[in-house]
Amino acid sequence: MFFDRHEGGEIAVLVHLELKDEREREDPQEFMELVRSAGVESAAFISASCKHPTPRFFVGPGKVEEIRQLVVLHEVDVVLFNHALSPSQERNLEKELQCRVIDRTGLILDIFAQRARTFEGKLQVELAQLQHMSTRLVRGWTHLERQKGGIGLRGPGETQLETDRRLLRARIKSITRRLEKVRKQREQGRRSRQRAEIPQVSLVGYTNAGKSTLFNQVTESVVYAADQLFATLDPTLRRIDLTDIGPVVLADTVGFIRHLPHKLVEAFRATLEETRQADLLLHVIDSHDPERLDNIDQVHSVLKEIGADKVPQLEVYNKIDLLHGVEPKIQRSDDGRPARVWVSAINGDGAGLLLEAIKELLSDDMLQGQLTLRPTEGRVRAYLYKLGVIQSESCSDTGDIVLDIRLPRSDFERIAKQEGLSENSFRPMT
């Protein structure tokens, strides 16, 4: 990583403002969860209400003095704000408080840095960190803003700050090129799946909604899952086999959050392509969360931002084990299609119903009927058995093979074209 995180526990003062503008408001409970996920110990929580943040410190002078006293009293390492601060506000606060100041975006980036495990994930996080830090480089370099003279200190007329910015820009270009290569590799994998006509289903949802636990339950995998925000960062793909459908690729992706930094959305573009290119999205919702309606809106907002809002969705209301009297069930829309499934990922209740709903939504264009094959077309019969689409088999008086089959229309058209089957060989069920 380009930026190494401070090892060991840190003590912080937390600052949250209740702003008048609804669009700029943040959830204090979610802030506490972010802090916990970052492994930071809270020494004090300061909350205040105001109409508008101040240009210099974001908070008023009185609050700055209150924070400063708490910093001295508890000997804290860092002050965390539950809001996005401008670079100048961060610098002004650090000068007044004499300690590090990190805003909400920086906190989320720190959590991402801890969670990244794959090479691609680390590159994506580093890119987001570099882009975030590029406007904040004046911090720590004020003593080098002018080139000094003397032996060993004469430079090419470039200040240390300018040198650092130049190196940072070069690093950003290098990472961007490497991520572009990763994006092309992912695109090749998607094209291969599309050629093989393997459907892809992606899990999306607000962070800590239980996506990874549900992923493990459905795929019988052991992907890391924990009761913390952004437990999953690196995307995971697994193959599952569904009756009548065949192989399906299920993707577990990073969770969304309110006001997800645009730098993260851009850095994770290659990963989020898995969501945009999916055939079906499973929108996992924490049914026990009182803020679930707002969380649903936030997920829809991010999906629109990445161009995935037109992909068909199935809502999966998770954690029904925390609700009283709620049983696993499938709720249908007015046209009879599955629209919502109620499950408990932690104990597997409703997992079978979820698979049934996925099958139903992916098999909208299914063909069912009788296929008559000549004795010389045994290769087609063997291939259909391999796909698992034959429901029964019999033999006609003329010696032909009669198969009752059910499979996607696209699969049948492909097989018919490859094997040269006659138009009269298939009789659809009426």
Side-chain angles (χ1 to χ4, degrees), residues 344-358:
S344 172
I346 196 70
N347 56 31
D349 290 347
L353 293 176
L354 175 60
L355 293 177
E356 287 296 325
I358 294 173

Side-chain angles (χ1 to χ4, degrees), residues 26 28 47 63 87 95 100 145 147 193 195 229 244 264 301 304 307 366 381 398-400:
E26 303 291 359
S47 181
K63 282 296 175 186
K95 186 176 180 180
R100 284 180 298 140
E145 283 179 351
Q147 192 73 33
R193 293 196 295 270
R195 283 196 297 268
L229 303 188
D244 294 337
L264 280 177
S301 176
K304 185 174 182 180
M366 297 290 287
R381 171 182 173 274
T398 59
D400 291 334

Side-chain angles (χ1 to χ4, degrees), residues 41 100 123 160 253:
E41 179 184 345
R100 284 180 298 140
L123 280 179
Q160 178 63 50
T253 58

Side-chain angles (χ1 to χ4, degrees), residues 284-343:
V284 184
I285 301 164
D286 183 351
S287 61
H288 186 255
D289 191 342
E291 301 291 330
R292 62 183 176 276
L293 294 179
D294 287 338
N295 295 347
I296 291 172
D297 290 339
Q298 293 298 324
V299 171
H300 288 161
S301 176
V302 176
L303 289 175
K304 185 174 182 180
E305 185 175 350
I306 65 177
D309 54 322
K310 303 300 183 184
V311 180
Q313 282 188 39
L314 172 65
E315 291 185 344
V316 183
Y317 274 68
N318 188 25
K319 304 185 183 181
I320 62 172
D321 52 291
L322 301 178
L323 301 176
H324 179 70
V326 178
E327 297 293 329
K329 59 185 175 182
I330 296 178
Q331 288 183 311
R332 298 180 179 273
S333 59
D334 292 339
D335 59 0
R337 290 162 52 86
R340 182 179 298 171
V341 184
W342 295 76
V343 303

